[in-house]
Amino acid sequence: MELFVPKETFPGENRAALIPASAKKLVEAGLAVKIEAGLGLASDYEDKDYEAAGASVVEDRAQALGSADIVMRVRKPSEEEIGLLKTGAVHISFLDPFQESELLAVFAKAGVSAISMEMMPRSTLAQKMDVLSSQANLAGYYAVIKAAERMNKILPMMMTPAGTISPARVFVIGVGVAGLQAIATAKRLGARVDAFDTRPVVEEQVKSLGAKFVKIDLGEMGQTAQGYAKELTPEQIELQRKGMADACTRSDIVITTAKLFGRKAPVILTADMISKMKRGSIVVDLAVESGGNVEGSRLNEEVVTEKGVIIIGEGNLEGQVGHHASQVYSYNLTSLVEHFWDNENKKLSLDLEDEIIQGCLLTHGGQIIHPKFKDT
Ligand code: NAD
């Protein structure tokens, strides 16, 4: 079986879907691994290291797409490139399936089995394939680094002969994978950290990291079976805003990571709340790509408000630490292939009854098979 990994073409995308160490594992399993020349350069993995791992480096992307049995990439492909794939090929990547019903139809028509990595079930068994977690973890880390670099203050307390500098105050809204890592990173840098999430189970995790949980009574909240947040009513969102206003006003950095799986993110920080923040404060909106938690944040832009608050709306923060983002993404995808690898026959065998495959395989045998997307 042949596996091909093309270079990412999305502007500013530094990540690669496969790194040399994973290529080595797949070659050892019995796959013929091909990568497009320059695949890992943007994240500092060199062609020669892929070659040393037993992969072949090819220049002709179209030809390699046409002959591959498995294709791995980070971002969704163009319709044209799906057209190049052979019937029965397996395509593994992020697909943004809630926004991309047409792309799913193109996959189905081409007879390609499309695996959407963001649909990976959140089970213990699938943890090593969980790309949302592996990437959000790095985005949470980098959001703090970015804010720290942009701020005119330092994070830790310093007692010096020239006086005492108070620690910066960081407020993290949304404490999933990214939020937890943001808290841990801000704590390591010496900040005082507050946090809030609508899922009550999070309070203990926040405290165990040495941060303070901001308590707001929103009535019925809870979480879905997969551990995702439930959508709040407009009244609950209003209560939440009121409850968080003070924490925002006293913070030097506010990091928002509040997302709703498959839906638009809620607007949590209003322009009015931001207008009460201190001059020079930093807001990082990690939900900017799914609609944004912050009124006035703009994708891939830095907005400075009239009162001098800086709103960072950069998308794909994990891509800015592309070396490690590629490492863990590549590990996730390689784990998926290894899990479904039929070692006897040296082929990928997607068991349609398997709960992981049922979660993330969206098209197969010429049809959209996932119940969530069937009628789109
Ligand atoms: P996410 O990216 O969908 O959302 C980020 C956070 O925002 C979540 O904690 C969510 O509760 C919160 N949020 C949503 N609306 C909010 C609002 N109005 N105000 C404040 N916060 C709000 O979530 P995620 O990071 O992908 O993970 C969600 C949960 O799933 C976490 O508890 C995580 O530990 C769990 N998880 C489990 C597994 C597993 O079992 N294998 C794997 C990964 C994650």
Side-chain angles (χ1 to χ4, degrees):
M1 270 202 143
E2 207 174 290
L3 169 93
F4 176 56
V5 190
K7 214 159 71 175
E8 296 298 312
T9 52
F10 188 82
E13 182 54 83
N14 293 328
R15 292 171 292 175
L18 190 72
I19 68 160
S22 316
K24 187 163 186 279
K25 282 206 222 166
L26 296 175
V27 168
E28 281 165 4
L31 268 159
V33 177
K34 282 186 189 174
I35 63 138
E36 184 175 354
L39 167 71
L41 271 187
S43 49
D44 297 323
Y45 296 99
E46 295 190 60
D47 285 353
K48 67 176 174 49
D49 295 326
Y50 289 97
E51 279 171 331
S56 39
V57 177
V58 301
E59 300 280 348
D60 191 341
R61 174 181 176 106
Q63 195 279 331
L65 282 168
S67 71
D69 301 290
I70 308 172
V71 173
M72 279 181 178
R73 55 173 116 207
V74 178
R75 301 256 177 181
K76 60 195 166 196
S78 65
E79 291 186 11
E80 293 70 39
E81 290 207 331
I82 297 174
L84 297 174
L85 302 174
K86 65 185 186 194
T87 307
V90 178
H91 189 282
I92 312 172
S93 69
F94 277 110
L95 280 183
D96 198 9
F98 292 97
Q99 315 295 329
E100 289 291 350
S101 50
E102 269 176 38
L103 204 68
L104 295 191
V106 176
F107 268 121
K109 194 160 164 250
V112 172
S113 300
I115 290 179
S116 161
M117 289 305 291
E118 52 270 83
M119 295 302 295
M120 187 58 65
R122 296 200 123 169
S123 61
T124 309
L125 191 61
Q127 225 166 357
K128 56 182 189 278
M129 310 166 203
D130 183 352
V131 293
L132 289 182
S133 293
S134 75
Q135 305 300 295
N137 183 38
L138 295 174
Y141 161 84
Y142 200 64
V144 177
I145 301 299
K146 188 106 204 160
E149 189 271 332
R150 200 60 193 84
M151 191 167 60
N152 262 335
K153 295 181 177 175
I154 63 165
L155 274 81
M157 179 170 94
M158 281 192 193
M159 292 167 87
T160 78
T164 298
I165 298 175
S166 319
R169 297 200 67 148
V170 176
F171 183 29
V172 176
I173 304 169
V175 190
V177 179
L180 281 174
Q181 188 55 253
I183 295 173
T185 305
K187 286 295 293 180
R188 272 183 229 125
L189 290 174
R192 276 180 69 180
V193 184
D194 294 307
F196 175 73
D197 196 292
T198 52
R199 292 179 301 116
V201 295
V202 168
E203 183 171 350
E204 275 315 305
Q205 297 167 7
V206 167
K207 285 183 181 160
S208 73
L209 289 171
K212 196 169 150 247
F213 191 76
V214 175
K215 277 203 188 277
I216 309 168
D217 185 5
L218 298 179
E220 181 59 31
M221 293 187 289
Q223 61 182 30
T224 68
Q226 293 270 308
Y228 291 116
K230 291 189 177 157
E231 192 164 11
L232 298 184
T233 63
E235 293 75 29
Q236 283 176 311
I237 287 272
E238 208 35 58
L239 276 177
Q240 175 178 359
R241 287 180 186 142
K242 282 205 181 99
M244 292 186 339
D246 281 348
C248 290
T249 308
R250 65 173 178 252
S251 296
D252 301 293
I253 297 174
V254 176
I255 295 175
T256 69
T257 81
K259 295 187 193 168
L260 295 167
F261 186 69
R263 277 170 295 157
K264 194 176 170 303
V267 176
I268 294 175
L269 240 65
T270 61
D272 182 52
M273 290 161 82
I274 295 168
S275 74
K276 294 185 178 120
M277 290 176 68
K278 288 172 286 191
R279 184 178 177 79
S281 303
I282 313 283
V283 177
V284 185
D285 187 356
L286 270 183
V288 68
E289 282 163 304
S290 56
N293 291 143
V294 180
E295 195 176 344
S297 70
R298 286 205 288 269
L299 182 59
N300 295 332
E301 283 184 36
E302 186 179 289
V303 176
V304 183
T305 69
E306 246 173 60
K307 297 203 169 153
V309 175
I310 299 167
I311 306 173
I312 297 172
E314 222 165 303
N316 191 14
L317 282 181
E318 58 274 32
Q320 293 198 31
V321 283
H323 192 78
H324 285 139
S326 302
Q327 176 188 321
V328 289
Y329 184 83
S330 167
Y331 179 89
N332 293 142
L333 268 57
T334 303
S335 299
L336 174 74
V337 172
E338 285 176 333
H339 191 82
F340 293 102
W341 187 247
D342 173 354
N343 202 27
E344 212 165 287
N345 300 304
K346 300 286 176 214
K347 69 181 186 63
L348 190 66
S349 167
L350 301 181
D351 172 6
L352 299 187
E353 298 303 314
D354 184 279
E355 120 185 348
I356 294 175
I357 293 302
Q358 285 184 346
C360 64
L361 181 64
L362 305 194
T363 64
H364 188 66
Q367 287 181 329
I368 298 176
I369 58 162
H370 195 290
K372 267 211 173 85
F373 305 102
K374 250 180 183 167
D375 298 320
T376 56

Short mmCIF file of all heavy atoms in Angstrom, two decimals, residues 121-128 130 132-134 136 172-180 196-199 201-202 205 218 222-223 225-232 236-237 240 244 256-262 265-268 293, ligand 1:
data_model
loop_
_atom_site.label_atom_id
_atom_site.label_comp_id
_atom_site.label_asym_id
_atom_site.label_seq_id
_atom_site.Cartn_x
_atom_site.Cartn_y
_atom_site.Cartn_z
N PRO A 121 -13.82 10.30 18.09
CA PRO A 121 -14.53 10.22 19.37
C PRO A 121 -13.59 10.53 20.54
O PRO A 121 -12.39 10.25 20.47
CB PRO A 121 -14.98 8.75 19.45
CG PRO A 121 -14.80 8.19 18.11
CD PRO A 121 -13.79 9.01 17.39
N ARG A 122 -14.16 11.10 21.61
CA ARG A 122 -13.33 11.43 22.77
C ARG A 122 -13.41 10.29 23.77
O ARG A 122 -14.03 10.41 24.83
CB ARG A 122 -13.75 12.76 23.32
CG ARG A 122 -13.46 13.81 22.26
CD ARG A 122 -13.37 15.15 22.78
NE ARG A 122 -12.09 15.73 22.44
CZ ARG A 122 -11.81 17.01 22.60
NH1 ARG A 122 -12.71 17.81 23.08
NH2 ARG A 122 -10.64 17.48 22.28
N SER A 123 -12.78 9.18 23.38
CA SER A 123 -12.77 8.01 24.26
C SER A 123 -11.33 7.73 24.65
O SER A 123 -10.39 8.22 24.01
CB SER A 123 -13.34 6.81 23.51
OG SER A 123 -12.53 6.53 22.39
N THR A 124 -11.15 6.91 25.66
CA THR A 124 -9.80 6.60 26.13
C THR A 124 -9.00 5.95 25.00
O THR A 124 -7.84 6.29 24.76
CB THR A 124 -9.88 5.65 27.35
OG1 THR A 124 -10.79 6.25 28.27
CG2 THR A 124 -8.54 5.44 28.00
N LEU A 125 -9.65 5.03 24.29
CA LEU A 125 -8.96 4.31 23.21
C LEU A 125 -8.49 5.26 22.10
O LEU A 125 -7.43 5.07 21.51
CB LEU A 125 -9.93 3.25 22.63
CG LEU A 125 -9.31 2.23 21.68
CD1 LEU A 125 -8.22 1.42 22.40
CD2 LEU A 125 -10.38 1.30 21.14
N ALA A 126 -9.31 6.28 21.81
CA ALA A 126 -8.99 7.18 20.70
C ALA A 126 -8.15 8.38 21.12
O ALA A 126 -7.83 9.24 20.30
CB ALA A 126 -10.29 7.65 20.05
N GLN A 127 -7.76 8.41 22.39
CA GLN A 127 -7.02 9.58 22.90
C GLN A 127 -5.75 9.86 22.09
O GLN A 127 -5.43 11.01 21.83
CB GLN A 127 -6.65 9.33 24.35
CG GLN A 127 -6.92 10.52 25.20
CD GLN A 127 -6.87 10.17 26.68
OE1 GLN A 127 -6.68 9.01 27.06
NE2 GLN A 127 -7.02 11.16 27.51
N LYS A 128 -5.06 8.80 21.68
CA LYS A 128 -3.80 9.03 20.97
C LYS A 128 -4.03 9.51 19.53
O LYS A 128 -3.09 9.86 18.83
CB LYS A 128 -2.92 7.78 21.01
CG LYS A 128 -3.54 6.51 20.47
CD LYS A 128 -2.53 5.37 20.63
CE LYS A 128 -2.96 4.11 19.92
NZ LYS A 128 -3.91 3.29 20.65
N ASP A 130 -6.41 11.96 19.00
CA ASP A 130 -7.24 13.14 19.22
C ASP A 130 -6.49 14.42 18.80
O ASP A 130 -5.78 15.04 19.60
CB ASP A 130 -7.62 13.18 20.71
CG ASP A 130 -8.54 14.33 21.05
OD1 ASP A 130 -8.77 15.20 20.19
OD2 ASP A 130 -9.03 14.36 22.19
N LEU A 132 -7.75 17.34 18.02
CA LEU A 132 -8.25 18.58 18.63
C LEU A 132 -7.48 18.86 19.91
O LEU A 132 -7.08 19.99 20.17
CB LEU A 132 -9.76 18.48 18.92
CG LEU A 132 -10.67 18.48 17.70
CD1 LEU A 132 -12.13 18.42 18.14
CD2 LEU A 132 -10.45 19.73 16.84
N SER A 133 -7.27 17.82 20.71
CA SER A 133 -6.53 18.02 21.96
C SER A 133 -5.06 18.33 21.70
O SER A 133 -4.50 19.23 22.32
CB SER A 133 -6.62 16.77 22.84
OG SER A 133 -7.94 16.59 23.27
N SER A 134 -4.45 17.59 20.79
CA SER A 134 -3.00 17.78 20.61
C SER A 134 -2.70 19.19 20.10
O SER A 134 -1.69 19.79 20.48
CB SER A 134 -2.41 16.71 19.68
OG SER A 134 -2.74 16.96 18.33
N ALA A 136 -4.94 21.94 20.37
CA ALA A 136 -5.45 22.96 21.31
C ALA A 136 -4.47 23.16 22.47
O ALA A 136 -4.30 24.27 22.97
CB ALA A 136 -6.81 22.53 21.84
N VAL A 172 -8.66 33.30 32.27
CA VAL A 172 -8.87 32.34 31.18
C VAL A 172 -10.36 31.96 31.16
O VAL A 172 -10.89 31.46 32.16
CB VAL A 172 -7.99 31.08 31.37
CG1 VAL A 172 -8.29 30.05 30.29
CG2 VAL A 172 -6.52 31.46 31.36
N ILE A 173 -11.01 32.20 30.03
CA ILE A 173 -12.44 31.88 29.91
C ILE A 173 -12.58 30.67 28.98
O ILE A 173 -12.21 30.74 27.80
CB ILE A 173 -13.22 33.09 29.35
CG1 ILE A 173 -12.98 34.32 30.24
CG2 ILE A 173 -14.70 32.76 29.24
CD1 ILE A 173 -13.49 35.62 29.64
N GLY A 174 -13.11 29.60 29.51
CA GLY A 174 -13.18 28.35 28.74
C GLY A 174 -11.99 27.50 29.15
O GLY A 174 -10.85 27.82 28.80
N VAL A 175 -12.25 26.47 29.93
CA VAL A 175 -11.13 25.67 30.44
C VAL A 175 -11.23 24.23 29.94
O VAL A 175 -11.46 23.30 30.69
CB VAL A 175 -11.05 25.73 31.98
CG1 VAL A 175 -9.74 25.12 32.45
CG2 VAL A 175 -11.15 27.17 32.47
N GLY A 176 -11.12 24.09 28.62
CA GLY A 176 -10.97 22.76 28.02
C GLY A 176 -9.48 22.50 27.92
O GLY A 176 -8.70 22.90 28.80
N VAL A 177 -9.08 21.86 26.84
CA VAL A 177 -7.67 21.51 26.67
C VAL A 177 -6.81 22.77 26.55
O VAL A 177 -5.79 22.92 27.24
CB VAL A 177 -7.51 20.60 25.43
CG1 VAL A 177 -6.05 20.24 25.23
CG2 VAL A 177 -8.36 19.33 25.59
N ALA A 178 -7.22 23.70 25.68
CA ALA A 178 -6.43 24.92 25.47
C ALA A 178 -6.39 25.76 26.75
O ALA A 178 -5.34 26.27 27.15
CB ALA A 178 -7.01 25.75 24.32
N GLY A 179 -7.54 25.89 27.39
CA GLY A 179 -7.62 26.72 28.60
C GLY A 179 -6.76 26.19 29.72
O GLY A 179 -6.06 26.94 30.41
N LEU A 180 -6.76 24.87 29.90
CA LEU A 180 -5.94 24.28 30.96
C LEU A 180 -4.45 24.55 30.72
O LEU A 180 -3.71 24.88 31.63
CB LEU A 180 -6.17 22.76 31.05
CG LEU A 180 -7.44 22.31 31.78
CD1 LEU A 180 -7.61 20.80 31.67
CD2 LEU A 180 -7.43 22.71 33.26
N PHE A 196 -12.75 30.60 34.26
CA PHE A 196 -14.18 30.26 34.32
C PHE A 196 -14.54 29.34 33.17
O PHE A 196 -14.05 29.46 32.06
CB PHE A 196 -15.05 31.52 34.25
CG PHE A 196 -16.52 31.18 34.20
CD1 PHE A 196 -17.16 30.71 35.35
CD2 PHE A 196 -17.24 31.25 33.01
CE1 PHE A 196 -18.51 30.33 35.31
CE2 PHE A 196 -18.58 30.88 32.97
CZ PHE A 196 -19.21 30.42 34.12
N ASP A 197 -15.44 28.40 33.45
CA ASP A 197 -16.01 27.53 32.41
C ASP A 197 -17.44 27.22 32.82
O ASP A 197 -17.76 27.19 34.00
CB ASP A 197 -15.19 26.24 32.30
CG ASP A 197 -15.48 25.48 31.01
OD1 ASP A 197 -16.61 24.96 30.86
OD2 ASP A 197 -14.59 25.40 30.15
N THR A 198 -18.28 26.95 31.82
CA THR A 198 -19.67 26.63 32.14
C THR A 198 -19.84 25.19 32.62
O THR A 198 -20.87 24.84 33.16
CB THR A 198 -20.57 26.82 30.89
OG1 THR A 198 -19.98 26.09 29.82
CG2 THR A 198 -20.69 28.28 30.54
N ARG A 199 -18.83 24.34 32.39
CA ARG A 199 -18.93 22.96 32.86
C ARG A 199 -18.42 22.90 34.30
O ARG A 199 -17.23 23.15 34.54
CB ARG A 199 -18.13 22.02 31.96
CG ARG A 199 -18.72 21.88 30.56
CD ARG A 199 -17.91 20.96 29.66
NE ARG A 199 -16.54 21.42 29.50
CZ ARG A 199 -15.47 20.76 29.92
NH1 ARG A 199 -15.59 19.58 30.47
NH2 ARG A 199 -14.27 21.27 29.76
N VAL A 201 -17.60 20.60 36.23
CA VAL A 201 -16.53 19.62 36.55
C VAL A 201 -15.13 20.25 36.47
O VAL A 201 -14.16 19.69 36.99
CB VAL A 201 -16.55 18.40 35.60
CG1 VAL A 201 -17.82 17.59 35.79
CG2 VAL A 201 -16.37 18.81 34.15
N VAL A 202 -15.05 21.40 35.83
CA VAL A 202 -13.75 22.00 35.58
C VAL A 202 -13.14 22.65 36.83
O VAL A 202 -11.92 22.79 36.95
CB VAL A 202 -13.90 23.05 34.44
CG1 VAL A 202 -12.69 23.93 34.32
CG2 VAL A 202 -14.20 22.36 33.13
N GLN A 205 -10.18 21.01 38.40
CA GLN A 205 -8.97 21.04 37.55
C GLN A 205 -8.29 22.41 37.64
O GLN A 205 -7.07 22.50 37.69
CB GLN A 205 -9.34 20.73 36.09
CG GLN A 205 -9.92 19.34 35.91
CD GLN A 205 -10.57 19.14 34.54
OE1 GLN A 205 -10.50 19.99 33.65
NE2 GLN A 205 -11.22 18.01 34.35
N LEU A 218 -25.19 30.06 36.93
CA LEU A 218 -25.93 30.21 35.67
C LEU A 218 -27.11 29.25 35.60
O LEU A 218 -27.71 29.08 34.54
CB LEU A 218 -25.00 29.93 34.48
CG LEU A 218 -23.79 30.86 34.32
CD1 LEU A 218 -22.97 30.44 33.12
CD2 LEU A 218 -24.25 32.29 34.14
N GLY A 222 -23.88 21.90 32.71
CA GLY A 222 -23.54 20.51 32.36
C GLY A 222 -22.77 20.38 31.07
O GLY A 222 -22.32 21.36 30.48
N GLN A 223 -22.62 19.13 30.62
CA GLN A 223 -21.84 18.86 29.42
C GLN A 223 -22.42 17.68 28.65
O GLN A 223 -23.23 16.93 29.18
CB GLN A 223 -20.38 18.61 29.79
CG GLN A 223 -20.15 17.39 30.70
CD GLN A 223 -18.67 17.23 31.06
OE1 GLN A 223 -17.93 18.19 31.15
NE2 GLN A 223 -18.27 15.99 31.27
N ALA A 225 -22.19 14.03 26.38
CA ALA A 225 -21.54 12.74 26.67
C ALA A 225 -20.07 12.76 26.23
O ALA A 225 -19.23 12.08 26.81
CB ALA A 225 -22.29 11.63 25.95
N GLN A 226 -19.76 13.54 25.20
CA GLN A 226 -18.37 13.62 24.71
C GLN A 226 -17.54 14.61 25.52
O GLN A 226 -16.38 14.86 25.21
CB GLN A 226 -18.37 14.04 23.24
CG GLN A 226 -18.96 13.01 22.29
CD GLN A 226 -17.90 12.05 21.77
OE1 GLN A 226 -16.87 12.47 21.25
NE2 GLN A 226 -18.15 10.77 21.93
N GLY A 227 -18.14 15.24 26.53
CA GLY A 227 -17.38 16.18 27.36
C GLY A 227 -17.42 17.61 26.85
O GLY A 227 -16.72 18.47 27.35
N TYR A 228 -18.25 17.87 25.83
CA TYR A 228 -18.32 19.23 25.29
C TYR A 228 -19.37 20.05 26.04
O TYR A 228 -20.31 19.50 26.63
CB TYR A 228 -18.70 19.19 23.80
CG TYR A 228 -17.61 18.64 22.92
CD1 TYR A 228 -17.80 17.46 22.20
CD2 TYR A 228 -16.39 19.30 22.80
CE1 TYR A 228 -16.80 16.96 21.39
CE2 TYR A 228 -15.39 18.80 21.99
CZ TYR A 228 -15.59 17.63 21.29
OH TYR A 228 -14.60 17.14 20.49
N ALA A 229 -19.21 21.39 25.97
CA ALA A 229 -20.15 22.28 26.65
C ALA A 229 -21.50 22.30 25.95
O ALA A 229 -21.58 22.09 24.74
CB ALA A 229 -19.58 23.69 26.66
N LYS A 230 -22.56 22.54 26.73
CA LYS A 230 -23.87 22.76 26.14
C LYS A 230 -24.05 24.26 25.87
O LYS A 230 -23.46 25.08 26.57
CB LYS A 230 -24.96 22.27 27.10
CG LYS A 230 -24.96 20.76 27.23
CD LYS A 230 -26.17 20.29 28.00
CE LYS A 230 -26.19 18.76 28.06
NZ LYS A 230 -26.96 18.27 29.19
N GLU A 231 -24.89 24.57 24.89
CA GLU A 231 -25.09 25.98 24.54
C GLU A 231 -25.91 26.67 25.64
O GLU A 231 -26.87 26.10 26.16
CB GLU A 231 -25.83 26.07 23.20
CG GLU A 231 -25.83 27.46 22.64
CD GLU A 231 -26.21 27.47 21.15
OE1 GLU A 231 -26.68 26.43 20.63
OE2 GLU A 231 -26.04 28.54 20.53
N LEU A 232 -25.52 27.90 26.00
CA LEU A 232 -26.26 28.63 27.02
C LEU A 232 -27.43 29.38 26.38
O LEU A 232 -27.39 29.70 25.19
CB LEU A 232 -25.34 29.65 27.70
CG LEU A 232 -24.12 29.12 28.45
CD1 LEU A 232 -23.38 30.27 29.13
CD2 LEU A 232 -24.50 28.07 29.48
N GLN A 236 -28.63 33.22 30.14
CA GLN A 236 -27.45 32.70 30.85
C GLN A 236 -26.17 33.43 30.40
O GLN A 236 -25.30 33.73 31.21
CB GLN A 236 -27.30 31.20 30.60
CG GLN A 236 -28.27 30.34 31.41
CD GLN A 236 -28.14 28.86 31.05
OE1 GLN A 236 -28.15 28.50 29.88
NE2 GLN A 236 -28.04 28.02 32.05
N ILE A 237 -26.08 33.69 29.10
CA ILE A 237 -24.90 34.41 28.59
C ILE A 237 -24.81 35.80 29.24
O ILE A 237 -23.73 36.25 29.62
CB ILE A 237 -24.97 34.56 27.04
CG1 ILE A 237 -24.70 33.22 26.36
CG2 ILE A 237 -24.02 35.63 26.53
CD1 ILE A 237 -23.25 32.91 26.08
N GLN A 240 -23.59 35.42 32.66
CA GLN A 240 -22.16 35.11 32.62
C GLN A 240 -21.34 36.39 32.44
O GLN A 240 -20.35 36.62 33.12
CB GLN A 240 -21.87 34.13 31.49
CG GLN A 240 -20.38 33.87 31.34
CD GLN A 240 -20.04 32.87 30.25
OE1 GLN A 240 -20.90 32.32 29.58
NE2 GLN A 240 -18.77 32.64 30.06
N MET A 244 -18.59 37.97 35.05
CA MET A 244 -17.17 38.01 34.71
C MET A 244 -16.61 39.41 34.57
O MET A 244 -15.40 39.58 34.40
CB MET A 244 -16.96 37.28 33.38
CG MET A 244 -17.20 35.80 33.47
SD MET A 244 -16.79 34.95 31.93
CE MET A 244 -16.86 36.25 30.77
N THR A 256 -9.61 33.86 25.80
CA THR A 256 -10.90 33.18 25.66
C THR A 256 -10.74 31.97 24.75
O THR A 256 -10.13 32.04 23.69
CB THR A 256 -11.98 34.12 25.07
OG1 THR A 256 -11.67 34.39 23.70
CG2 THR A 256 -12.08 35.42 25.83
N THR A 257 -11.26 30.84 25.21
CA THR A 257 -11.15 29.59 24.43
C THR A 257 -12.50 28.90 24.36
O THR A 257 -12.56 27.68 24.13
CB THR A 257 -10.14 28.61 25.07
OG1 THR A 257 -10.82 27.93 26.15
CG2 THR A 257 -8.93 29.29 25.64
N ALA A 258 -13.60 29.63 24.61
CA ALA A 258 -14.91 29.00 24.77
C ALA A 258 -15.53 28.62 23.43
O ALA A 258 -15.98 29.47 22.68
CB ALA A 258 -15.83 29.93 25.54
N LYS A 259 -15.52 27.32 23.16
CA LYS A 259 -16.06 26.86 21.87
C LYS A 259 -17.23 25.92 22.09
O LYS A 259 -17.38 25.33 23.16
CB LYS A 259 -14.97 26.12 21.10
CG LYS A 259 -13.83 27.02 20.71
CD LYS A 259 -12.89 26.27 19.81
CE LYS A 259 -11.58 27.00 19.64
NZ LYS A 259 -10.58 26.17 19.01
N LEU A 260 -18.05 25.78 21.06
CA LEU A 260 -19.15 24.82 21.09
C LEU A 260 -18.95 23.93 19.89
O LEU A 260 -18.95 24.41 18.75
CB LEU A 260 -20.50 25.56 20.99
CG LEU A 260 -20.82 26.46 22.18
CD1 LEU A 260 -21.98 27.39 21.86
CD2 LEU A 260 -21.16 25.61 23.41
N PHE A 261 -18.73 22.64 20.13
CA PHE A 261 -18.34 21.73 19.04
C PHE A 261 -19.35 21.76 17.89
O PHE A 261 -20.55 21.54 18.10
CB PHE A 261 -18.20 20.31 19.59
CG PHE A 261 -17.67 19.37 18.57
CD1 PHE A 261 -16.36 19.47 18.14
CD2 PHE A 261 -18.48 18.39 18.01
CE1 PHE A 261 -15.85 18.62 17.18
CE2 PHE A 261 -17.99 17.53 17.05
CZ PHE A 261 -16.67 17.64 16.63
N GLY A 262 -18.87 22.07 16.69
CA GLY A 262 -19.73 22.05 15.50
C GLY A 262 -20.63 23.27 15.35
O GLY A 262 -21.41 23.35 14.40
N ALA A 265 -19.08 29.89 18.04
CA ALA A 265 -18.70 30.17 19.44
C ALA A 265 -19.57 31.30 20.01
O ALA A 265 -19.97 32.19 19.27
CB ALA A 265 -17.23 30.56 19.49
N PRO A 266 -19.83 31.27 21.33
CA PRO A 266 -20.62 32.37 21.92
C PRO A 266 -19.79 33.64 22.09
O PRO A 266 -18.60 33.57 22.37
CB PRO A 266 -21.00 31.80 23.30
CG PRO A 266 -19.92 30.83 23.63
CD PRO A 266 -19.45 30.25 22.33
N VAL A 267 -20.46 34.80 21.90
CA VAL A 267 -19.76 36.08 22.17
C VAL A 267 -19.84 36.33 23.67
O VAL A 267 -20.93 36.50 24.22
CB VAL A 267 -20.40 37.24 21.38
CG1 VAL A 267 -19.72 38.56 21.75
CG2 VAL A 267 -20.31 36.99 19.89
N ILE A 268 -18.71 36.33 24.32
CA ILE A 268 -18.68 36.43 25.78
C ILE A 268 -18.19 37.81 26.24
O ILE A 268 -18.74 38.40 27.14
CB ILE A 268 -17.79 35.32 26.36
CG1 ILE A 268 -18.44 33.96 26.06
CG2 ILE A 268 -17.61 35.48 27.85
CD1 ILE A 268 -17.62 32.79 26.47
N ASN A 293 -15.10 34.74 20.51
CA ASN A 293 -15.70 35.00 21.83
C ASN A 293 -15.69 36.48 22.17
O ASN A 293 -16.22 36.89 23.18
CB ASN A 293 -14.90 34.29 22.94
CG ASN A 293 -15.00 32.79 22.91
OD1 ASN A 293 -14.04 32.08 23.18
ND2 ASN A 293 -16.18 32.27 22.61
P1 NAD B 1 -13.84 23.01 23.32
O1 NAD B 1 -12.64 23.43 22.55
O2 NAD B 1 -15.05 22.56 22.58
O3 NAD B 1 -14.27 24.22 24.29
C1 NAD B 1 -13.35 24.85 25.14
C2 NAD B 1 -13.97 25.11 26.48
O4 NAD B 1 -14.92 26.17 26.39
C3 NAD B 1 -14.72 23.93 27.08
O5 NAD B 1 -14.17 23.61 28.33
C4 NAD B 1 -16.16 24.43 27.19
O6 NAD B 1 -16.83 23.91 28.32
C5 NAD B 1 -15.95 25.92 27.32
N1 NAD B 1 -17.12 26.77 27.06
C6 NAD B 1 -18.10 26.65 26.12
N2 NAD B 1 -18.99 27.67 26.23
C7 NAD B 1 -18.57 28.45 27.26
C8 NAD B 1 -19.02 29.65 27.83
N3 NAD B 1 -20.14 30.26 27.43
N4 NAD B 1 -18.30 30.18 28.85
C9 NAD B 1 -17.19 29.59 29.32
N5 NAD B 1 -16.69 28.46 28.80
C10 NAD B 1 -17.37 27.89 27.78
O7 NAD B 1 -13.48 21.87 24.37
P2 NAD B 1 -12.20 20.91 24.44
O8 NAD B 1 -11.04 21.67 24.94
O9 NAD B 1 -12.03 20.27 23.12
O10 NAD B 1 -12.58 19.82 25.52
C11 NAD B 1 -13.79 19.71 26.20
C12 NAD B 1 -13.68 18.64 27.27
O11 NAD B 1 -13.46 17.36 26.72
C13 NAD B 1 -12.55 18.85 28.25
O12 NAD B 1 -13.01 18.62 29.54
C14 NAD B 1 -11.56 17.80 27.93
O13 NAD B 1 -10.81 17.41 29.05
C15 NAD B 1 -12.46 16.70 27.45
N6 NAD B 1 -11.69 15.78 26.60
C16 NAD B 1 -11.80 14.43 26.80
C17 NAD B 1 -11.05 13.56 26.03
C18 NAD B 1 -11.12 12.10 26.22
O14 NAD B 1 -11.85 11.63 27.05
N7 NAD B 1 -10.36 11.34 25.47
C19 NAD B 1 -10.23 14.04 25.05
C20 NAD B 1 -10.15 15.42 24.85
C21 NAD B 1 -10.90 16.28 25.65
#
